[in-house]
Amino acid sequence: MLDDAGLRVMELAGKGYCCSQMLVVMALDEMDREDPDLVRAAGGLCNGLGDCSGPCGVLTGAVLALGLYAGKGTDMEEPVDVLPVMLETLRDWFIERTREYGGITCGAILEGGCGSPHPTRCGGLVAEANAKVREILVENGLDPAEGREL
């Protein structure tokens, strides 16, 4: 039985979003916002930077989601002090989580395949990463529903 995040991942995949875009959309959903430009930009991270040799879009999308909450967005803003720690926590979790696949690249996770995400493997990673982003935010005193003003 799929939870709400799993159902949302299936819905977004059915609409043609890649893993990095799904994580950005899910963060925006949490804040009750839309930002098509940001979602479009996240598309540049699809398929391990295009050829599956780069980091998995689940990781890069989750990094974008954390940056959306804690990064610098205007001349007058400063990044949240704990952003580097949050990014390190996420990276360490993802490295450990994908160890069974032999690495953090899209190609490693897809066992050499590229362009067609594995529905269970990739979908599960997206849902887990979304939960991990929320956990990291809460642990660092940030409200996933609030975010920063766009």
Side-chain angles (χ1 to χ4, degrees):
M1 175 70 43
L2 291 174
D3 61 5
D4 289 344
L7 291 172
R8 184 68 170 137
V9 168
M10 285 182 58
E11 176 189 358
L12 293 169
K15 291 180 177 180
Y17 292 100
C18 73
C19 297
S20 54
Q21 290 173 308
M22 288 183 212
L23 280 148
V24 169
V25 168
M26 292 169 80
L28 290 166
D29 286 351
E30 183 78 28
M31 294 181 278
D32 197 29
R33 297 182 184 166
E34 292 184 7
D35 188 342
D37 291 331
L38 177 59
V39 175
R40 195 175 300 111
L45 303 172
C46 295
N47 298 314
L49 305 179
D51 67 357
C52 289
S53 67
C56 171
V58 173
L59 176 60
T60 57
V63 165
L64 284 176
L66 287 176
L68 179 62
Y69 287 96
K72 179 179 178 70
T74 68
D75 292 348
M76 302 308 290
E77 279 183 347
E78 292 299 324
V80 174
D81 290 342
V82 294
L83 179 57
V85 173
M86 294 191 314
L87 294 171
E88 180 180 3
T89 300
L90 176 70
R91 185 192 66 239
D92 291 349
W93 168 81
F94 194 76
I95 288 169
E96 183 58 34
R97 176 59 187 84
T98 58
R99 188 173 310 282
E100 68 184 282
Y101 305 129
I104 66 168
T105 67
C106 191
I109 293 166
L110 293 175
E111 298 175 338
C114 187
S116 272
H118 186 280
T120 305
R121 186 174 294 180
C122 299
L125 283 173
V126 170
E128 289 175 44
N130 184 61
K132 189 65 177 180
V133 165
R134 291 173 50 92
E135 176 186 309
I136 291 169
L137 291 169
V138 170
E139 286 175 353
N140 287 280
L142 297 168
D143 183 348
E146 292 297 317
R148 292 206 174 177
E149 293 300 315
L150 293 177

